Amino acid sequence: MQQGFTLVELLITIAIVGIVASMALPQIANTVATQELNVFANNLAADIRAIQQMAINTNGVQTIYTIYFFNGSTPQYNLHDGKRSFKIVYLPASVEMTGDPQLIRYAITGSPSSGSQTIEFRSKRTGKYRYVIVASITGRVRVSNTGGSE
């Protein structure tokens, strides 16, 4: 009575596992790229909401909070409080900022003085887009799979 596996059986099993893994790997990479795009867009929306709240909470002090976008060799956005940048966020390597977004500026009222804006991001791997949309009057921020403004 034979116990264990033969070398041929082990090689066939390893080959099958390798084939299945090679078929799953591109899908896993696409999922990771889509997740990076979603997380980045949601983090930008959270940062926009945070500076809006900081502007409202200034208690009468005229501090202008601004987000500057830089789409150069190292794409990034900076949160600025009128005196200094207090947060710099770089885009992940798999995400690109399309178009040329304008700065977003909030004063004490909480509404963006820069008006409504749609900031567009694209995954370099999957080609999917995410849009961060800022409403002009209310300053409401949302993330969408489709472009357009309110």
Side-chain angles (χ1 to χ4, degrees):
M1 187 153 167
Q2 181 185 13
Q3 291 185 347
F5 300 103
T6 66
L7 181 60
V8 173
E9 291 171 331
L10 286 173
L11 289 176
I12 290 173
T13 303
I14 290 172
I16 291 171
V17 169
I19 290 169
V20 170
S22 69
M23 290 172 25
L25 197 58
Q27 186 61 34
I28 292 170
N30 287 345
T31 302
V32 168
T34 301
Q35 189 64 22
E36 279 184 336
L37 178 64
N38 290 335
V39 166
F40 180 77
N42 286 322
N43 284 342
L44 173 60
D47 285 340
I48 293 171
R49 290 181 192 111
I51 67 163
Q52 181 184 28
Q53 193 62 47
M54 284 183 227
I56 293 170
N57 292 341
T58 57
N59 294 327
V61 178
Q62 282 295 3
T63 303
I64 305 293
Y65 288 91
T66 308
I67 295 182
Y68 295 99
F69 295 95
F70 300 100
N71 204 2
S73 59
T74 56
Q76 61 183 279
Y77 66 87
N78 297 353
L79 279 64
H80 200 270
D81 66 1
K83 298 176 189 135
R84 62 180 176 79
S85 289
F86 61 91
K87 184 176 182 182
I88 299 172
V89 179
Y90 296 94
L91 272 70
S94 66
V95 176
E96 69 179 349
M97 190 171 8
T98 59
D100 189 25
Q102 305 300 311
L103 57 87
I104 299 174
R105 180 172 286 149
Y106 286 98
I108 196 168
T109 62
S111 61
S113 59
S114 49
S116 68
Q117 187 169 172
T118 300
I119 307 147
E120 185 177 292
F121 299 99
R122 185 180 78 84
S123 171
K124 293 177 183 176
R125 179 166 179 83
T126 64
K128 292 182 179 179
Y129 286 86
R130 290 297 175 270
Y131 304 90
V132 178
I133 302 166
V134 181
S136 61
I137 297 172
T138 61
R140 177 178 179 243
V141 181
R142 65 186 175 97
V143 177
S144 176
N145 296 336
T146 58
S149 60
E150 296 180 329

